[in-house]
């Protein structure tokens, strides 16, 4: 059972005792994960694991802003992911060093194939009021420090579960192709892991759908304290 920053929990129940170091004490993971690494994972497995990791990071850090970064075609090729990644990494490095912030960024393709990025960020930002508001009435800001294109920044509310699920939706099977990674995350104080508890539970007694991965001898059930989409 994972325990998130806002009090929510998520639980994975296996039909066999596959989890390591069974105990009843709350622990903070170091280099190992609650879920074993099966090896030879399919592309879909990797995508699911990336989504879960993005969700964990979004839930465990108190992000302040949702940011979108796009490219001005007069300053950089909008279809060049390598050039865009270099600019993004330089931008993030300067941003973190000046404000000691933390970030979680996901690249994405526009419908026409151009690249852009969505990001959660916490830390000091230089903001300029764009004069516009979103559908919820929140002010839309611009970031003058992003000099190669257009940017928007919106202050987040405190519904961490909603924010985490929203940013996770940007992780697609195409995301990894853009930067070579599904996401970028960093900052000195960024929390990547979730405290968890391992314990014995009667698999059959849990009222949840059982999933059996192909060519595997262990079934799994998933229980969440928050609402999830079917594809999560």
């Amino acid at each position: 059972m994972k325990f998130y920053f806002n009090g929510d929990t998520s639980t994975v129940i296996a039909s066999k005792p596959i989890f390591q170091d069974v105990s009843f004490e709350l622990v903070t993971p170091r280099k190992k994960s609650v879920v074993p690494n099966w090896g030879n994972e399919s592309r879909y497995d990797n995508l699911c694991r990336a989504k879960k990791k993005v969700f964990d990071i979004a839930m465990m850090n108190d992000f302040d802003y949702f940011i979108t970064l796009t490219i001005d075609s007069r300053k950089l090729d909008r279809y060049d992911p390598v050039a865009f990644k270099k600019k993004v990494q330089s931008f993030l490095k300067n941003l973190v060093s000046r404000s000691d912030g933390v970030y979680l960024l996901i690249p994405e393709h526009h419908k026409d194939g151009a690249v852009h990025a969505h990001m959660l960020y916490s830390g000091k930002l230089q903001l300029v009021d764009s004069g516009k508001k979103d559908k919820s009435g929140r002010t839309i800001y611009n970031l003058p420090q992003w000099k190669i294109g257009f940017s928007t920044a919106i202050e987040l509310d405190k519904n961490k579960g909603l924010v985490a699920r929203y940013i996770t939706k940007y992780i697609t099977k195409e995301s990894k192709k853009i930067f070579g990674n599904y996401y970028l995350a960093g900052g000195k104080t960024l929390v990547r892991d979730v405290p968890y508890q391992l314990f014995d539970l009667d698999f059959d007694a849990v009222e949840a759908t059982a999933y059996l991965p192909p060519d595997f001898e262990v079934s799994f059930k998933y229980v969440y304290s928050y609402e999830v989409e079917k594809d999560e």
Side-chain angles (χ1 to χ4, degrees):
M1 178 180 287
K2 290 184 177 181
F3 298 85
Y4 291 110
F5 179 75
N6 69 334
D8 279 330
T9 62
S10 66
T11 307
V12 181
I13 306 100
S15 59
K16 294 184 179 181
I18 61 172
F19 298 118
Q20 302 175 8
D21 300 328
V22 176
S23 70
F24 293 88
E25 295 182 3
L26 188 64
V27 296
T28 300
R30 294 181 181 178
K31 294 183 179 180
K32 62 184 179 181
S33 172
V34 180
V35 181
N37 183 358
W38 309 120
N40 299 318
E41 291 181 305
S42 70
R43 187 177 180 184
Y44 179 74
D45 292 329
N46 288 328
L47 175 64
C48 291
R49 291 172 73 87
K51 283 188 173 185
K52 286 181 172 61
K53 192 60 182 178
V54 165
F55 184 87
D56 285 351
I57 294 174
M59 289 288 283
M60 291 302 294
N61 294 271
D62 196 14
F63 290 109
D64 298 320
Y65 299 96
F66 178 81
I67 296 171
T68 299
L69 304 174
T70 61
I71 301 171
D72 184 344
S73 59
R74 296 169 296 181
K75 299 180 179 180
L76 192 72
D77 185 353
R78 297 175 61 243
Y79 303 92
D80 187 343
V82 175
F84 182 56
K85 182 179 180 180
K86 289 181 179 179
K87 292 295 184 180
V88 165
Q89 288 178 319
S90 177
F91 169 75
L92 293 172
K93 182 178 179 180
N94 291 333
L95 201 61
V96 169
S97 64
R98 293 176 182 177
S99 67
D100 198 27
V102 296
Y103 63 86
L104 171 61
L105 181 143
I106 299 171
E108 186 186 29
H109 282 297
H110 280 295
K111 291 182 179 180
D112 66 355
V115 292
H116 63 288
H118 303 284
M119 179 171 71
L120 299 181
Y121 185 79
S122 178
K124 294 181 181 179
L125 282 176
Q126 184 181 352
L127 299 170
V128 175
D129 191 334
S130 69
K132 300 179 181 179
K133 296 184 181 296
D134 69 0
K135 295 179 180 180
S136 300
R138 294 174 296 183
T139 300
I140 299 176
Y141 297 98
N142 298 133
L143 306 177
Q145 58 268 54
W146 177 250
K147 300 183 183 299
I148 64 163
F150 310 99
S151 62
T152 60
I154 300 172
E155 288 188 79
L156 295 170
D157 58 30
K158 296 304 178 182
N159 190 336
K160 296 186 68 63
L162 182 61
V163 171
R165 291 193 293 276
Y166 183 76
I167 195 69
T168 302
K169 290 181 182 295
Y170 288 107
I171 293 282
T172 69
K173 62 183 180 180
E174 300 299 323
S175 298
K176 191 173 183 179
K177 291 183 178 180
I178 303 173
F179 283 175
N181 303 92
Y182 285 106
Y183 63 92
L184 300 177
K188 292 181 180 179
T189 61
L190 184 78
V191 180
R192 295 177 181 270
D193 296 313
V194 185
Y196 63 87
Q197 187 175 10
L198 303 178
F199 55 92
D200 290 321
L201 193 64
D202 184 346
F203 184 83
D204 294 327
V206 177
E207 294 184 3
T209 301
Y211 297 91
L212 178 63
D215 302 318
F216 209 65
E217 297 181 355
V218 179
S219 297
F220 297 90
K221 292 182 178 180
Y222 302 89
V223 179
Y224 307 93
S225 67
Y226 48 86
E227 184 177 352
V228 297
E229 300 289 343
K230 290 184 178 180
D231 61 352
E232 292 182 53

